[in-house]
Amino acid sequence: MSVVAPAMPAGRGGTLFSFHLPVGRPVTHKIYRDAVRPSRLVLPRTTRGAADEEQPPNARRASVSARWHAEAKGNLRKDIAVITTDFAPGSPCMLDLGSPDVRAAAAFYGAVLGWDYEPMGDGEDMEGGMFRKDGKMVAGLGKLTEEGARPAWMIYYTVADADATTQAVERAGGTVRVAPMDLEQWGRMAQYSDPLGGQFAVWQPGESKGVDLVDQPGSLSWTELYTSDAAAAKEFYGGVLGWRFSDMEMPGGEGTYTLITPAGLPEERMHGGLMEVGKEDLALAGGRPYWHPVFNVTDCDAAVAEVTANGGSVQMGPVDAEGVGRMAVCLDPFDADFVVLTPAES
């Protein structure tokens, strides 16, 4: 059973879809995975030259993720909590996909991630519903209806007060895309753009705190922002969500990767990262910053085979990153981006 709010803007680029919540209280449990510490694993890089100019923009963009996940690996330490379902303020708690074809998207992610889709209604004109893994809610799916909007994943972060967060967004130069609104007794949500155009959302929990499963196969394990101005992003998100940041220099002068930890929590609870990239690496979102999810999978190669067999594409990988695991950057059939990662053995 699900509770479904009216359609609302939610994906990067102005996607429009419904948000879906489970009935009842999510199970709270701690899950462990890799967290980042500085290291020096260097895999082959993509350099900007004549050969690079022959690559499509998305391939150049994918190399950015490859450089961190592959080169920066050894900075990873095993058995440290990252994303958990206690959903402390500032931590990711939900995610939703806006797609022009709900039925096709449901079939694709079912094949790739082993998700079961629970629609909110019957008939051919499915507007949305929720994804479950082994009976546990892991994500939402809704119809993309806004003209010109790109299919994309939207990540929601827990806040204590959505109205106060909205005021902080406005003070910091962000844009309110959807003003705070109640979804019955389940909680209160709002959606925003940061000053550079990166889109994100917040959730003030009521009876529902978020998804039921994280950091296990078929669920969210990391979040990542590509931005054109890392300093501006840190100032904005630090002020709005209270995040703490730690910078890690990548080998070979490839840039800086910034790790994100919720306010008041130790580094063991870092849940994502951000990285400054060139405009050409933001081509997927029309030059604007964007967030994307990283999903834990049991077998990266098998997941990639399902991506291509079901109409998606692979922008990078699979590639091994010592101490991190095996990962690939993928697009679904409608070009919504995501990463699949099989964590390294402890």
Side-chain angles (χ1 to χ4, degrees):
M1 181 177 181
S2 65
V3 176
V4 184
M8 60 191 74
R12 287 184 292 270
T15 61
L16 192 69
F17 56 92
S18 302
F19 194 79
H20 321 281
L21 299 173
V23 172
R25 188 178 302 276
V27 176
T28 299
H29 51 259
K30 279 198 186 219
I31 317 235
Y32 295 87
R33 63 147 286 166
D34 297 332
V36 181
R37 298 264 190 234
S39 87
R40 253 199 96 80
L41 172 70
V42 181
L43 297 185
R45 297 190 185 92
T46 299
T47 56
R48 298 257 171 87
D52 189 59
E53 291 304 313
E54 295 174 0
Q55 296 178 320
N58 286 347
R60 292 197 299 269
R61 176 190 58 79
S63 71
V64 177
S65 185
R67 284 198 295 271
W68 177 70
H69 286 284
E71 293 178 356
K73 146 281 155 188
N75 300 314
L76 300 186
R77 191 173 71 198
K78 298 297 293 182
D79 299 328
I80 296 179
V82 182
I83 298 177
T84 76
T85 54
D86 65 0
F87 300 130
S91 61
C93 61
M94 301 182 185
L95 66 163
D96 230 341
L97 173 68
S99 179
D101 188 330
V102 169
R103 191 177 297 275
F108 174 82
Y109 287 96
V112 174
L113 297 174
W115 288 349
D116 296 316
Y117 180 64
E118 184 177 303
M120 67 180 183
D122 299 324
E124 294 297 318
D125 297 326
M126 291 195 307
E127 290 298 321
M130 68 174 66
F131 287 115
R132 293 186 182 274
K133 177 69 173 179
D134 299 327
K136 297 180 178 181
M137 202 270 276
V138 291
L141 170 64
K143 181 79 170 181
L144 176 70
T145 60
E146 184 176 345
E147 185 177 355
R150 83 172 183 96
W153 285 97
M154 170 68 78
I155 300 170
Y156 289 69
Y157 296 94
T158 298
V159 296
D161 186 333
D163 295 273
T165 301
T166 296
Q167 294 172 7
V169 166
E170 293 176 322
R171 287 195 301 270
T175 301
V176 179
R177 301 180 62 246
V178 177
M181 61 180 293
D182 291 323
L183 300 184
E184 299 183 0
Q185 72 270 36
W186 310 115
R188 189 166 174 81
M189 58 81 65
Q191 297 173 3
Y192 315 107
S193 293
D194 68 31
L196 296 172
Q199 295 180 13
F200 68 106
V202 299
W203 178 250
Q204 177 185 326
E207 292 190 10
S208 179
K209 290 181 169 56
V211 296
D212 298 330
L213 186 70
V214 293
D215 231 4
Q216 291 287 284
S219 67
L220 181 70
S221 64
W222 191 254
T223 66
E224 192 169 61
L225 172 68
Y226 292 162
T227 180
S228 55
D229 190 332
K234 288 190 284 186
E235 181 178 2
F236 174 80
Y237 289 102
V240 169
L241 295 175
W243 290 344
R244 294 185 297 107
F245 304 98
S246 54
D247 290 341
M248 179 187 74
E249 295 302 319
M250 295 197 301
E254 293 288 347
T256 301
Y257 192 87
T258 299
L259 303 163
I260 301 169
T261 305
L265 295 180
E267 287 189 350
E268 286 78 8
R269 289 294 303 275
M270 60 181 64
H271 59 74
L274 67 85
M275 183 175 180
E276 183 171 317
V277 299
K279 287 288 187 181
E280 66 274 21
D281 293 316
L282 298 173
L284 190 65
R288 295 187 302 274
Y290 62 92
W291 290 91
H292 65 215
V294 178
F295 296 116
N296 181 314
V297 294
T298 301
D299 185 333
C300 181
D301 291 78
V304 165
E306 292 293 347
V307 167
T308 56
N310 287 274
S313 60
V314 179
Q315 300 299 290
M316 188 281 298
V319 64
D320 290 314
E322 184 183 349
V324 178
R326 188 163 176 82
M327 53 88 67
V329 181
C330 305
L331 299 178
D332 72 17
F334 308 101
D335 287 347
D337 60 306
F338 63 99
V339 176
V340 291
L341 170 68
T342 300
E345 295 289 337
S346 300

